[in-house]
Amino acid sequence: MRWQSQTLDAEDGALPGLSRAGLVRTVQTPEFEGITFHEVLCKSALNRVPEGANVPFQWTVNPMRGCSHACRYCFARGTHEYLDLDAGRDFDSQIVVKTNVAAVLRKELGRRSWLREPVALGTNTDPYQRAEGRYRLMPGIIRALTESGTPFSILTKGPLLRRDLPLLTAAAEQVRVSLAVSIAILDEDLHRSLEPGTPSPRARLELVRALTDAGFAVNVLVAPVIPGLTDGRAHLDAIFGAIAAAGAESAVAFPMHLRGSTRGWFLSWLAEHHPALLRRYRQLYRRGAYVTPEYSAWLRSRVAPLLAEHGLTARGRAEPETRTETAPTSDAQLALFA
Ligand code: SF4
């Protein structure tokens, strides 16, 4: 591949801005209309989870920055601002690809100091977004983790994961592999409007079926639950029913939070498509990024019986009534390895 001839000693690490991020070249191709890839050489692949984060893993790997799945509610949007890109359209269309991530990861996992602690993928952006079809970073990452004896988890909305199913099945014979699929919306129109770059809910249900048939106990992230739009009993009943029918073992559902740049990006969509809900949102999110404790409790009481009805194990999640605005963990992180 083109980048293999590049040296591995370029700047990177924290990706403070594209100019200092080890940028090798910027690419646009007809197959990915409207998307620009920024190919960088990273210096490190493993990211340590901030101290105090209440998650059952200590490390993450993010092969890309930005995500063409373009979910309006995506909590990772703000991270694009560290690259001097904006958290709206740029996050959806300016994708930073760490082309050497597998080689760097292999080197890091080979250190004698590596303790084989669980590594999570999909905690920031989706590793099986469309770009993975072009760059094929995941097979190298999976092999590096497996061969080093490192347990790992993947959370995705991308049926492209099926491409790597044989590899994942073989990996699961050697290390613990946890797979989770995110399906927040069943309604096709709402899905197209809110998650315009993601594969259809039907395609993701088929992914759940394929993973289940391959022997994995699949967890489904029915999240975020969007107040007033996806929290109706009929919608939740239908989505849990579809997930159970696809063979999922467990599910987790929790309300959307709106922090930083994501808040404005989501609320501008709401104002355009569902202006009548704005008043309710002002009330629900009056404390900041999180819904009121009353709403959280109400949602839990709605979800629990539905999960039981459909024979799905409820995946636990520490959700204190009061969360700080600077909570270091993401909801997706909490769902993994739950
Ligand atoms: S798939 Fe995940 S990472 Fe990608 S835009 Fe949607 S929420 Fe964000």
Side-chain angles (χ1 to χ4, degrees):
M1 288 186 175
R2 279 178 296 277
W3 56 83
Q4 284 177 329
S5 60
Q6 309 288 345
T7 59
L8 298 181
D9 57 357
E11 290 275 324
D12 169 49
L15 290 173
L18 274 177
S19 59
R20 292 169 54 202
L23 183 66
V24 174
R25 65 171 189 159
T26 290
V27 184
Q28 290 177 322
T29 74
E31 312 92 78
F32 291 87
E33 202 189 333
I35 296 180
T36 302
F37 297 117
H38 302 284
E39 297 177 355
V40 303
L41 293 177
C42 63
K43 201 190 283 183
S44 66
L46 283 165
N47 312 296
R48 186 183 274 284
V49 173
E51 214 162 298
N54 183 25
V55 291
F57 52 88
Q58 289 75 40
W59 302 90
T60 63
V61 173
N62 294 299
M64 296 172 208
R65 302 284 296 265
C67 185
S68 61
H69 282 164
C71 306
R72 205 75 194 200
Y73 51 72
C74 180
F75 62 83
R77 291 186 170 279
T79 60
H80 237 42
E81 290 167 344
Y82 295 115
L83 301 166
D84 299 328
L85 294 168
D86 78 51
R89 295 266 175 250
D90 282 355
F91 179 85
D92 303 339
S93 61
Q94 305 282 320
I95 310 300
V96 177
V97 186
K98 301 175 188 177
T99 54
N100 62 336
V101 66
V104 175
L105 178 64
R106 182 174 288 279
K107 207 165 147 190
E108 291 176 336
L109 298 174
R111 288 179 187 146
R112 275 213 299 241
S113 57
W114 175 242
L115 298 175
R116 299 183 179 83
E117 294 170 304
V119 171
L121 286 126
T123 60
N124 195 349
T125 57
D126 197 323
Y128 283 102
Q129 59 177 289
R130 286 184 61 212
E132 173 60 18
R134 170 184 168 89
Y135 288 97
R136 301 182 71 89
L137 303 176
M138 285 301 286
I141 291 171
I142 293 167
R143 282 193 195 96
L145 290 164
T146 306
E147 288 162 22
S148 66
T150 303
F152 63 95
S153 68
I154 300 172
L155 169 66
T156 187
K157 287 187 171 97
L160 179 57
L161 182 145
R162 289 172 81 158
R163 181 199 67 194
D164 294 341
L165 203 42
L167 202 53
L168 289 163
T169 306
E173 288 170 13
Q174 296 181 58
V175 296
R176 183 182 170 205
V177 178
S178 305
L179 300 178
V181 178
S182 172
I183 310 173
I185 302 169
L186 263 197
D187 179 84
E188 288 285 350
D189 290 339
L190 188 59
H191 148 72
R192 272 193 292 273
S193 182
L194 259 183
E195 309 171 322
T198 61
S200 70
R202 181 57 46 198
R204 283 179 267 165
L205 287 168
E206 285 166 8
L207 173 63
V208 173
R209 169 50 62 198
L211 300 183
T212 303
D213 289 349
F216 289 96
V218 182
N219 182 32
V220 177
L221 192 69
V222 182
V225 174
I226 300 154
L229 293 175
T230 63
D231 58 0
R233 194 184 182 284
H235 179 266
L236 290 170
D237 186 38
I239 203 164
F240 289 135
I243 288 164
E249 187 194 76
S250 58
V252 60
F254 48 80
M256 175 173 67
H257 65 259
L258 293 172
R259 188 188 297 130
S261 325
T262 301
R263 189 181 181 94
W265 191 241
F266 180 85
L267 290 178
S268 65
W269 174 88
L270 194 72
E272 188 183 340
H273 297 273
H274 298 277
L277 282 175
L278 280 173
R279 200 163 154 204
R280 183 163 174 219
Y281 270 64
R282 268 196 291 277
Q283 167 74 11
L284 271 179
Y285 291 90
R286 64 180 181 272
R287 289 149 37 105
Y290 297 97
V291 289
T292 58
E294 294 78 25
Y295 180 87
S296 287
W298 171 83
L299 185 64
R300 278 197 300 273
S301 68
R302 168 158 281 184
V303 164
L306 288 172
L307 286 173
E309 222 171 276
H310 291 291
L312 291 162
T313 304
R315 279 295 175 103
R317 167 181 136 87
E319 190 182 35
E321 290 299 299
T322 306
R323 296 173 69 177
T324 64
E325 294 300 296
T326 54
T329 56
S330 71
D331 290 323
Q333 287 173 330
L334 289 166
L336 289 163
F337 281 114

